[in-house]
């Protein structure tokens, strides 16, 4: 089928389009800058600008599925201006896609929209599934508004899947790229107290989950995009130390992390213990269910 991927030039999207191509799908990437992106992308992928004024909506008409990954990175100091950009970039992109779906004569059968485990808010030891109540902090309300914007496609007859993604582990980029330098310099260790939970997923498993959501009509609504075995920050640091053959006992104290990152520190200092109840219930098989093997794959060697 033809799959239109918005925001597909980034850390998750660049592996997703490769996997969709390998499965025989026809891939269209919507990007804000088609000239910049085209060099790094396979010639079989259609790279289409969806900058204001560009004609891109006809690609949505007749597409089999839409994936929406677009949004400004949250990995920055959350000033009021940054927060506004984080929210607006997600809502505007999702609203644009839903408007194009509404106009389409032949509507796609599915919209798979990114979301994040931040939707549950900081929850201590509680084990969270798709049925758990949502949080009320900045990330939680942002994700809830994002999911609501995507759900506008539902009454148009489109199946909507919302991938509540944890910390994605992959080579080159993502959260791991920021954690590796201190570990490689023998200065690694847990961030904050170490007891906070971290819900992670190997990027290959996340990409497989996106394909699963695209192809499986039973996937409807929220789907936790996390490995079945979340770990504490301390266990994560130990596993990363093992994968890199480096020590992992130098912790970064929470007050220093708060000073450095501001409100955004909640992402690493609080965390959530999220499990993929729905994906497992629907028969999705994780290639990397355990943190040690996942980190050996992405950081070892
Ligand atoms: N990586 C993670 O650990 C993780 C965890 C939870 C949720 N997620 C969510 O999953 C999605 C994809 O993640 P990722 O790690 O692949 O992100 P990424 O590498 O930052 O890529 C996101 C893409 O969104 C587009 N984009 C960036 N700023 C934008 C803006 N202001 N307006 C419209 N589009 C914009 C960019 O595409 P162009 O420059 O080509 O337009 C970019 O390639 C994100 O929305 C993220 O919130 C990621």
């Amino acid at each position: 089928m033809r799959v239109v991927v918005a925001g597909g030039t980034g850390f998750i999207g660049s592996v997703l389009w490769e996997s969709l191509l390998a499965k025989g799908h026809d891939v269209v990437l919507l990007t804000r800058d088609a000239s910049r992106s085209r060099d790094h992308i396979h010639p079989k992928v259609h790279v289409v600008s969806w900058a204001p004024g560009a004609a891109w909506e006809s690609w949505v008409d007749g597409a089999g599925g839409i994936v929406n990954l677009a949004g400004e990175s949250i990995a920055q100091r959350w000033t009021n201006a940054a927060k506004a950009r984080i929210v607006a970039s997600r809502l505007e992109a999702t609203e644009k896609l839903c408007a194009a779906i509404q106009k389409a004569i032949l509507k796609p059968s599915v919209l798979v929209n990114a979301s994040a485990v931040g939707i549950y808010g900081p929850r201590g030891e509680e084990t969270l599934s798709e049925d758990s109540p949502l949080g009320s902090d900045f990330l939680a309300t942002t994700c809830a508004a994002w999911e609501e914007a995507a759900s506008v496609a539902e009454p148009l007859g489109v199946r909507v899947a919302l991938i509540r993604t944890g910390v994605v582990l992959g080579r080159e980029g993502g959260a791991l790229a920021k954690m590796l330098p201190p570990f490689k310099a023998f200065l690694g260790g847990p961030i904050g107290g170490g007891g906070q939970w971290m819900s992670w997923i190997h990027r290959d498993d996340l990409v497989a989950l996106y394909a699963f959501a695209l192809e499986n009509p039973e996937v409807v609504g929220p789907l936790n995009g996390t490995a079945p075995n979340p770990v504490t920050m301390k266990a994560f640091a130990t596993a990363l130390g093992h994968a890199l053959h480096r020590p992992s006992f130098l912790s970064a104290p929470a007050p220093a992390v708060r000073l450095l990152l501001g409100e955004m520190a909640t992402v690493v200092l609080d965390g959530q213990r999220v499990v993929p109840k729905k994906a497992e219930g629907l028969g999705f098989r994780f290639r990397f269910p355990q943190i040690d093997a996942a980190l050996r794959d992405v950081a070892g060697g």
Side-chain angles (χ1 to χ4, degrees), residues 147-278:
E147 291 192 356
E148 206 174 303
S151 301
V152 163
E154 259 168 24
L156 305 173
V158 178
R159 177 169 63 86
V160 177
L162 306 156
I163 313 290
R164 293 178 177 169
T165 309
V167 176
V168 183
L169 303 177
R171 282 184 188 272
E172 301 123 29
L176 198 59
K178 295 192 165 57
M179 293 181 197
L180 283 179
F183 271 86
K184 286 189 171 164
F186 294 82
L187 297 169
I191 301 170
Q196 71 274 36
W197 284 88
M198 190 172 162
S199 298
W200 59 276
I201 185 167
H202 189 294
R203 184 168 51 174
D204 290 354
D205 276 334
L206 181 66
V207 161
L209 196 63
Y210 268 89
F212 182 77
L214 275 169
E215 293 164 354
N216 187 335
E218 285 178 292
V219 181
V220 180
L223 188 71
N224 288 338
T226 60
N229 298 294
V231 289
T232 61
M233 176 61 81
K234 187 165 189 293
F236 180 86
T238 304
L240 185 55
H242 286 159
L244 293 167
H245 306 292
R246 293 286 195 277
S248 58
F249 53 81
L250 285 175
S251 67
V257 176
R258 276 210 182 85
L259 202 64
L260 189 72
L261 302 179
E263 190 184 344
M264 191 253 168
T266 182
V267 175
V268 285
L269 293 178
D270 298 322
Q272 301 86 6
R273 185 181 194 173
V274 179
V275 292
K277 184 176 162 196
K278 208 153 144 190

Side-chain angles (χ1 to χ4, degrees), residues 3-161:
V3 183
V4 176
V5 185
T9 55
F11 177 62
I12 296 169
S14 55
V15 178
L16 177 65
W17 65 250
E18 276 180 356
S19 148
L20 293 173
L21 216 56
K23 283 169 151 275
H25 295 299
D26 193 11
V27 182
V28 179
L29 291 190
L30 298 180
T31 169
R32 293 165 302 162
D33 183 354
S35 59
R36 182 202 59 194
S37 304
R38 199 168 271 135
D39 310 339
H40 316 286
I41 292 168
H42 195 283
K44 269 194 173 167
V45 173
H46 306 277
V47 181
V48 175
S49 169
W50 73 328
W56 57 275
E57 292 172 323
S58 59
W59 289 97
V60 170
D61 204 336
I66 313 286
V67 174
N68 180 21
L69 299 168
E72 173 151 335
S73 173
I74 65 155
Q76 57 177 310
R77 224 182 149 81
W78 292 352
T79 59
N80 286 341
K83 280 179 163 179
R85 288 195 306 273
I86 287 167
V87 176
S89 61
R90 283 173 175 76
L91 297 191
E92 281 165 18
T94 311
E95 283 161 8
K96 265 164 80 170
L97 284 171
C98 288
I101 293 171
Q102 182 156 34
K103 275 194 212 155
I105 295 164
L106 204 55
K107 301 207 189 305
S109 53
V110 57
L111 166 63
V112 184
N113 209 85
S115 180
V117 295
I119 198 162
Y120 298 112
R123 297 288 274 272
E125 289 292 316
E126 205 180 329
T127 300
L128 303 162
S129 76
E130 290 84 352
D131 309 320
S132 301
L134 306 184
S136 57
D137 66 356
F138 169 65
L139 274 191
T141 52
T142 300
C143 290
W146 197 11
E147 291 192 356
E148 206 174 303
S151 301
V152 163
E154 259 168 24
L156 305 173
V158 178
R159 177 169 63 86
V160 177

